[in-house]
Amino acid sequence: MLSNHYFDKVMGEFVVKAIEVEGLNYYYPNSKNGVVDIGFSIKAGEKVGFMGPNGSGKTTLLLHLNGIIAMNKKVKIFNKEVNKKNIRFIRKNVGLIFQNADYQLFSLSVYDDIAYGPKNLGWDDEKVDNAVKTALKQVDMEGFEKRFPQNLSIGEKKRIAIATVLSMDPKVLVLDEPTSSLDPQGRRDLINLLKTFKDKTIIIASHDLELIDELCNRVVHMNKGKIESIDN
Ligand SMILES: Nc1ncnc2c1ncn2[C@@H]1O[C@H](COP(=O)(O)OP(=O)(O)O)[C@@H](O)[C@H]1O
Ligand SMILES: [Mg+2]
């Protein structure tokens, strides 16, 4: 019997729920700040924006989606609770791109950074190599394999950061303020790039109205750690 939380029956068709959060609370240690009673559900393939003032809890929420900040069973990805048992599935399928690309790039070469995730999944060398090449192609950065990540421009770093998760072929992409440090051309290129990921479920926290408007079919508004409203 299929769980109602996983499938929604819409117009006679079953719709897969990619993300389901119900009653999620998190407070930073020794702090009153965090996220409070968060609940929402996102169907596979949806593109959803999270907006709200600085400190409203967007990043804290996003970091729960693949168990980075804490593994919390109130968060489900394709009906799997974010817990220790499922964490491999979760990390493979929820590709989180940090606001600051430097947090994502720590190897001596672009190749090694993009190969890191696939290697951790235990894929053999050939499969890893194919994954790296495919990911570089997806972000239009072929030929950058041997470059030192720290010497790239901010726009290039952002693309490589995206490639480091694309290489695992995640079903969900989570991006925290992806355009915040880009120049106008880099920002436009990034928006156009994100539009190419049609099959993926995409979650974006951003203040960039144009990005949200062009890419997202729904917007969740946050304030003071809570969801204030959800626009459809
Ligand atoms: N590492 C931390 N320790 C303590 N408090 C934090 C930490 N990170 C964020 N906060 C607090 O949690 C709240 C939510 O922050 P955050 O999720 O970063 O919001 P946003 O991404 O919307 O700007 C804020 O009040 C912020 O000050
Ligand atoms: Mg933030």
Side-chain angles (χ1 to χ4, degrees):
M1 184 69 191
L2 297 169
S3 153
N4 284 336
H5 289 287
Y6 187 38
F7 290 100
D8 242 359
K9 204 162 184 240
V10 178
M11 308 276 283
E13 281 180 53
F14 282 107
V15 180
V16 177
K17 286 188 184 175
I19 304 174
E20 175 120 78
V21 179
E22 224 177 302
L24 171 68
N25 293 287
Y26 177 82
Y27 297 98
Y28 287 97
N30 306 315
S31 162
K32 286 181 184 153
N33 297 320
V35 289
V36 184
D37 196 24
I38 299 290
F40 60 87
S41 145
I42 293 176
K43 297 179 190 109
E46 273 199 286
K47 321 281 186 260
V48 180
F50 281 76
M51 303 195 82
N54 289 332
S56 58
K58 303 181 298 294
T59 297
T60 306
L61 171 58
L62 262 44
L63 294 176
H64 275 88
L65 298 179
N66 71 348
I68 285 193
I69 213 162
M71 292 186 210
N72 194 312
K73 64 179 185 196
K74 303 278 172 74
V75 180
K76 285 188 199 149
I77 305 295
F78 291 99
N79 209 33
K80 286 190 197 316
E81 286 178 0
V82 176
N83 61 28
K84 220 171 163 180
K85 179 171 76 73
N86 294 330
I87 200 66
R88 218 177 126 87
F89 172 89
I90 305 286
R91 294 270 161 83
K92 186 216 171 278
N93 281 300
V94 181
L96 199 137
I97 293 115
F98 296 103
Q99 178 169 7
N100 184 344
D102 288 329
Y103 293 169
Q104 212 126 19
L105 307 174
F106 45 79
S107 301
L108 292 175
S109 73
V110 162
Y111 186 99
D112 287 348
D113 268 334
I114 302 176
Y116 184 83
K119 276 186 181 163
N120 260 338
L121 294 173
W123 294 357
D124 66 37
D125 288 352
E126 195 184 336
K127 193 169 173 189
V128 170
D129 198 51
N130 282 333
V132 173
K133 289 198 173 111
T134 304
L136 275 170
K137 195 169 177 182
Q138 283 176 294
V139 298
D140 203 17
M141 291 286 283
E142 289 155 298
F144 277 69
E145 288 86 340
K146 292 186 177 153
R147 294 282 297 275
F148 179 45
Q150 294 310 321
N151 286 345
L152 302 175
S153 75
I154 294 177
E156 290 167 344
K157 277 183 184 175
K158 185 57 76 180
R159 283 168 178 268
I160 297 302
I162 293 172
T164 67
V165 304
L166 281 180
S167 56
M168 291 181 280
D169 194 21
K171 295 181 198 294
V172 181
L173 285 181
V174 178
L175 299 114
D176 196 2
E177 313 255 6
T179 56
S180 63
S181 52
L182 301 177
D183 63 22
Q185 187 60 51
R187 173 179 164 275
R188 176 42 50 198
D189 291 346
L190 188 83
I191 295 174
N192 291 343
L193 173 66
L194 295 177
K195 282 182 180 171
T196 65
F197 304 135
K198 292 194 170 64
D199 296 340
K200 304 216 184 272
T201 306
I202 301 186
I203 309 297
I204 303 181
S206 183
H207 299 288
D208 186 333
L209 279 172
E210 215 174 41
L211 161 72
I212 299 285
D213 189 50
E214 285 188 38
L215 209 82
C216 297
N217 60 300
R218 279 207 291 157
V219 183
V220 177
H221 296 276
M222 293 187 70
N223 197 14
K224 296 182 182 158
K226 294 181 182 164
I227 291 183
E228 214 170 44
S229 62
I230 301 182
D231 293 347
N232 286 300

